[in-house]
Amino acid sequence: MPDLSSRARTLLELHTATEILVLANVWDVVSARVVAGTPGARALATASHSIAATFGYKDGENIPLDLHLDMVRRIVEAVDLPVSMDLEAGHGNAGETARRAIEVGVVGGNLEDEMKPLDEAVAAVELVLRAGRDAGIEFVLNARTDTFLRAEKGADRQHLVQEAIRRGRAFLEAGAPVVFVPGLVARDEIAAVVAGLGPGKLSVISAPGISLPASELQELGVARVSTGPHSQRVALTALQDAAAGLFAGGTLPENTRALN
């Protein structure tokens, strides 16, 4: 496996390349190995929601951090690709959580701002980046703003776009290479945020049935698209459909592959 600094450098280069970085989020060792072994995989990202669900916890930092980190460590050790971890909101101490993540081999991560006062959110970003510098790596922070996720129903969309840009710019100025805006799916809104942040600075999530294809996101200047909990939901949907067919008197799907 490449050393930590090499993996961090590779992950940063993937975020700053002209080609969009497409990530199918993983949640355990077998999902990590399957995704890593799929042509086109260049890096991995974990999904905190999915890891929590694996152990029976609700999303939102309800899973014990030690348990979360142990699963991420297992994922890192199972693959040769650089791994980015969903740090959630930092589990009460963003810098310390990032430090512990780096200790298990993580070289990038998401950090939620939870729409805290901007100075607090920027300070958390700076703590994570400092943890990377202290470890001798360029930690690739996907600084997340929850502007759209936490917006009230019926909120003015133009205001939300401008607020996402305002917060995103602050994170970029603090040193984050990319800004993650989940809930941003409309073409015109994506284009506006790209214009406000600059090309190659926006990260979005792909949601089933509503998101633009990765090729179109690339044309708009998006740097990264990931799947969050949706990749686990794809797997669970396939499992439930297969079980339903079996319980109805049928057999398992013919195209089932031995991936484990």
Side-chain angles (χ1 to χ4, degrees):
M1 178 181 291
D3 64 35
L4 204 66
S5 60
S6 295
R7 278 177 279 160
R9 195 177 313 115
T10 296
L11 187 61
L12 182 60
E13 289 171 352
L14 289 171
H15 281 79
T16 56
T18 55
E19 182 181 358
I20 190 171
L21 174 60
V22 180
L23 298 168
N25 290 74
V26 301
W27 58 92
D28 60 11
V29 169
V30 69
S31 64
R33 285 177 171 162
V34 167
V35 172
T38 302
R42 296 175 290 165
L44 294 184
T46 68
S48 62
H49 187 138
S50 301
I51 292 176
T54 296
F55 290 105
Y57 293 94
K58 291 184 178 180
D59 189 29
E61 298 190 351
N62 287 297
I63 184 173
L65 181 56
D66 286 347
L67 183 60
H68 191 168
L69 284 168
D70 182 64
M71 178 60 84
V72 174
R73 174 189 60 79
R74 293 170 184 271
I75 289 169
V76 170
E77 293 176 354
V79 299
D80 290 329
L81 298 177
V83 176
S84 176
M85 175 184 172
D86 187 347
L87 304 171
E88 300 190 79
H91 289 265
N93 188 327
E96 176 64 11
T97 298
R99 183 191 66 78
R100 294 185 63 188
I102 293 168
E103 283 184 346
V104 302
V106 167
V107 293
N110 297 357
L111 182 70
E112 303 167 12
D113 69 356
E114 296 184 316
M115 297 307 290
K116 295 173 183 173
L118 188 54
D119 58 343
E120 292 182 23
V122 169
V125 165
E126 291 172 340
L127 287 173
V128 170
L129 296 173
R130 185 181 306 159
R133 290 194 299 271
D134 289 346
I137 68 170
E138 292 185 83
F139 190 84
V140 184
L141 180 59
N142 191 33
R144 169 175 150 174
T145 177
D146 294 322
T147 304
F148 284 85
L149 290 187
R150 290 179 176 248
E152 294 183 3
K153 186 176 182 180
D156 179 80
R157 301 294 293 186
Q158 184 58 32
H159 171 74
L160 296 179
V161 166
Q162 292 306 314
E163 180 63 8
I165 292 171
R166 184 179 78 92
R167 298 179 77 89
R169 282 177 174 169
F171 299 155
L172 293 173
E173 290 172 3
V178 284
V179 174
F180 182 28
V181 189
L184 186 66
V185 295
R187 178 185 297 276
D188 59 339
E189 293 175 352
I190 291 172
V193 175
V194 169
L197 299 179
K201 299 297 183 183
L202 175 63
S203 173
V204 298
I205 191 169
S206 181
I210 60 173
S211 292
L212 297 174
S215 58
E216 294 183 26
L217 292 173
Q218 178 173 301
E219 292 173 359
L220 289 170
V222 174
R224 161 177 166 165
V225 58
S226 55
T227 59
H230 299 303
S231 47
Q232 187 184 56
R233 290 168 181 169
V234 168
L236 293 175
T237 297
L239 174 61
Q240 187 178 63
D241 288 349
L246 192 64
F247 299 157
T251 62
L252 291 173
E254 293 182 8
N255 64 347
T256 300
R257 297 183 295 280
L259 297 174
N260 60 354

